[in-house]
Amino acid sequence: MNGREPSEALREAHHLLRAMAAALQAYGLYEAGHPGRVAAAAEVEARAVRLRAALGRDPILFLARRSFYLGLTLLAWPSLSFHRLAEAFEAAGIESLELLPGLDRDDVDALVRLLAGEERAREELSRILLNRATPELPPGGGLAELLQSYAQGLELLREAASRLLAGRPANVEAARRLTEHLAERIAADPAQALLLTTVKSYDEYTFHHMVNVCVLAIALAQAVGLDHDRVITLGIGALLHDVGKVRVPQEVLQHQGKLDEEQWRLIQRHPVDGAGLVFVTSRDLLHPAAAVVLEHHVGFDASGYPPLGGGRPPSLPARLVSVVDCFDAVTSKRPYRAAEERRQALALIQAGAGRGFDPRLVRAFLRLVGLFPVGSLVQLSTGEVAVVVRNHERLLARPTVRLLLDASGTPCDPEERDLSLERPGGGYRWDVARSIDPAELGIDMLQLLASGRLEERPADEGPGLVHEPSPGEPPPPGYVEAHPVAEDLPPLDREA
């Protein structure tokens, strides 16, 4: 088995798993023989044929640690995106899936029925072999566990949005368990956690943003010394901070181009709506988390929204979340503005210190991520391109980097370089010449972090993150400050 699968095969494996996830959903909606089932099975069959052609041999897909692999290569995006499919694999006891020549529609139908819980369909498989191969995967832990938790966070938010839209409460206890696990993993390896927040997806931009903000908020809360209980409560609030956007019409959240005044008014209601949803979901447990949801756009100088009365500032957890919320938002593509390079995002946050942002938390965040944030791409004075993996405790302009491309632009061995090392005769051995946007080189940061492979970045399939302009940013065309009032909400515990 080859540990270095062709790039085209990785893309086809992604398409196959997407088709399988769609087929599983179709089989849950339609009866046997329905055109929806037939079309879904036909797509899976076609994708399996294309994967085999791209790979040049019988494909073997593995599921391990809730993540999908093609051979020994982790399929990072499918592992994040198709959490329910992974659960169906586990429930059916499927650890490996070998697709043989001659696979037809009947095989696909039997497989999907098995994934949907029909155990007798297992006996109908003839050109699909289950659990014959055993993967020899690297040990778990570190980024692998963080990636699994990230995927669980996305699925939790999908489910929460669905339940809230149906008038049912979200599963807050699941949010607490996830936040506690994330806090444990982040405390063990903050640098890996910060690397994971470079993940951006414009298929589900709001959910990815909410998980990124949760990870960044936990890392910053731990860095400033908050106790465990406050970190967990803050983390839950950060995870749910934009949950009020479930009440914003999809045509607004998915709007292409600039937004008009009425659309901005709808978006600016999300803190009030979100706090109400959290409070109704769990009155006793989540007063402090509800405060984070309500206040994350108020601003350090109380110039934001909604007004809290008496011009009082937001709570410490809300002030902290507002800093990391801004960082992730401005480094994401938005319908009305291109993504900022990560170093520029830090400069914008620094410019807002004392106005929109608590200056103490800004300083702490700068120390946490460094002048070149973990996950940033940089070009060295040698012409080589590298990714920042750790920051120096004192020399913030001298991080440790991992090489990706040599001076000619050719992928090279992932050697780590400490930019604080000096030459024997004085002076530093390497310098950062400039920061680089991953999009400039078309690099898929998630696949790079997950497997160390340099792959093309998937096409952005959405308009981007609909988000309030940050303090110091010029407002986009059509922007209006609507400032909804936080009425009909109970007193919130703002000190946790």
Side-chain angles (χ1 to χ4, degrees):
M1 187 181 299
N2 189 350
R4 186 78 182 177
E5 311 296 2
S7 296
E8 180 62 24
L10 298 183
R11 288 190 288 271
E12 289 299 336
H14 187 163
H15 291 314
L16 173 59
L17 289 168
R18 184 191 295 275
M20 291 174 64
L24 184 60
Q25 185 176 26
Y27 273 53
L29 293 173
Y30 305 123
E31 298 293 332
H34 189 281
R37 278 196 175 196
V38 174
E43 178 66 11
V44 174
E45 181 188 11
R47 290 298 180 182
V49 170
R50 292 182 64 170
L51 172 58
R52 192 173 192 282
L55 197 58
R57 64 176 189 274
D58 298 343
I60 303 178
L61 294 167
F62 295 107
L63 179 76
R65 301 190 289 264
R66 285 281 177 93
S67 297
F68 291 105
Y69 293 78
L70 176 64
L72 301 182
T73 302
L74 174 63
L75 301 170
W77 284 110
S79 298
L80 282 186
S81 304
F82 308 134
H83 189 73
R84 288 185 181 177
L85 180 63
E87 288 182 333
F89 267 64
E90 286 190 342
I94 299 175
E95 296 179 355
S96 72
L97 197 70
E98 189 171 355
L99 308 177
L100 302 181
L103 176 146
D104 60 19
R105 197 77 48 84
D106 290 338
D107 287 299
V108 171
D109 176 72
L111 175 63
V112 180
R113 285 190 287 118
L114 175 60
L115 291 172
E118 190 178 323
E119 180 59 31
R120 66 176 181 271
R122 191 184 300 268
E123 302 173 2
E124 302 174 30
L125 296 171
S126 62
R127 311 305 297 168
I128 299 177
L129 301 181
L130 302 182
N131 301 339
R132 191 177 76 159
T134 302
E136 297 179 359
L137 301 175
L143 188 62
E145 284 196 19
L146 278 168
L147 190 64
Q148 180 180 333
S149 296
Y150 195 107
Q152 290 172 344
L154 293 174
E155 185 59 29
L156 185 150
L157 292 172
R158 293 182 195 111
E159 181 181 347
S162 177
R163 291 175 65 89
L164 291 169
L165 285 172
R168 295 179 293 156
N171 187 345
V172 174
E173 184 54 35
R176 175 173 286 277
R177 290 194 301 271
L178 173 69
T179 304
E180 288 177 339
H181 183 69
L182 278 172
E184 179 183 338
R185 297 308 315 161
I186 294 166
D189 197 341
Q192 289 278 39
L194 293 174
L195 279 170
L196 193 57
T197 63
T198 62
V199 172
K200 309 287 182 184
S201 170
Y202 301 109
D203 284 328
E204 295 183 300
Y205 37 90
T206 299
F207 293 159
H208 277 260
H209 170 66
M210 292 165 76
V211 178
N212 284 343
V213 168
C214 177
V215 172
L216 289 167
I218 290 173
L220 180 54
Q222 291 174 341
V224 299
L226 296 188
D227 64 51
H228 178 75
D229 289 344
R230 295 184 81 187
V231 169
I232 299 306
T233 301
L234 179 149
I236 297 170
L239 182 66
L240 300 176
H241 78 282
D242 273 350
V243 72
K245 288 183 179 176
V246 302
R247 289 189 171 173
V248 179
Q250 283 299 303
E251 58 267 25
V252 175
L253 290 178
Q254 297 177 355
H255 182 76
Q256 296 277 0
K258 71 177 184 180
L259 286 77
D260 63 27
E261 179 174 326
E262 184 54 33
Q263 289 169 327
W264 279 115
R265 290 183 186 277
L266 290 170
I267 290 167
Q268 289 174 4
R269 278 206 57 84
H270 80 269
V272 174
D273 290 340
L277 289 170
V278 171
F279 179 76
V280 169
T281 292
S282 184
R283 177 180 296 269
D284 295 329
L285 179 63
L286 281 186
H287 270 193
V292 172
V293 175
L294 177 68
E295 298 173 358
H296 71 279
H297 279 303
V298 170
F300 178 66
D301 60 358
S303 62
Y305 65 89
L308 299 180
R312 70 178 189 273
S315 62
L316 173 63
R319 299 199 303 273
L320 186 151
V321 168
S322 71
V323 172
V324 300
D325 180 37
C326 170
F327 180 75
D328 190 73
V330 300
T331 54
S332 302
K333 183 180 73 174
R334 289 169 284 176
Y336 45 85
R337 189 163 291 154
E340 294 283 359
E341 184 266 324
R342 291 164 73 85
R343 195 177 183 189
Q344 287 300 112
L346 290 178
L348 189 150
I349 290 172
Q350 283 182 289
R355 296 179 295 143
F357 306 121
D358 185 327
R360 295 171 300 173
L361 293 174
V362 169
R363 289 194 294 271
F365 188 62
L366 289 173
R367 287 195 300 272
L368 177 68
V369 299
L371 291 179
F372 298 100
V374 170
S376 296
L377 292 185
V378 294
Q379 186 173 49
L380 303 183
S381 51
T382 57
E384 297 161 305
V385 173
V387 59
V388 177
V389 293
R390 283 185 301 280
N391 277 299
H392 196 281
E393 290 185 2
R394 295 180 296 102
L395 305 174
L396 298 184
R398 297 280 164 191
T400 296
V401 302
R402 184 179 300 142
L403 294 183
L404 302 177
L405 306 174
D406 64 20
S408 69
T410 304
C412 60
D413 291 336
E415 173 191 342
E416 286 197 2
R417 287 186 179 171
D418 182 350
L419 302 190
S420 68
L421 294 180
E422 299 184 9
R423 297 189 186 94
Y428 293 105
R429 298 178 63 182
W430 305 285
D431 297 299
V432 172
R434 68 184 183 102
S435 297
I436 298 179
D437 184 342
E440 178 183 335
L441 301 177
I443 291 178
D444 181 352
M445 290 301 296
L446 177 58
Q447 192 64 46
L448 173 65
L449 298 176
S451 65
R453 292 186 54 141
L454 276 173
E455 300 290 342
E456 290 185 8
R457 180 175 177 165
D460 292 341
E461 299 179 7
L465 179 71
V466 175
H467 195 275
E468 180 79 1
S470 299
E473 275 194 301
Y479 176 73
V480 63
E481 294 184 358
H483 289 194
V485 178
E487 55 191 13
D488 299 326
L489 286 175
L492 302 178
D493 179 356
R494 306 172 67 252
E495 298 305 321

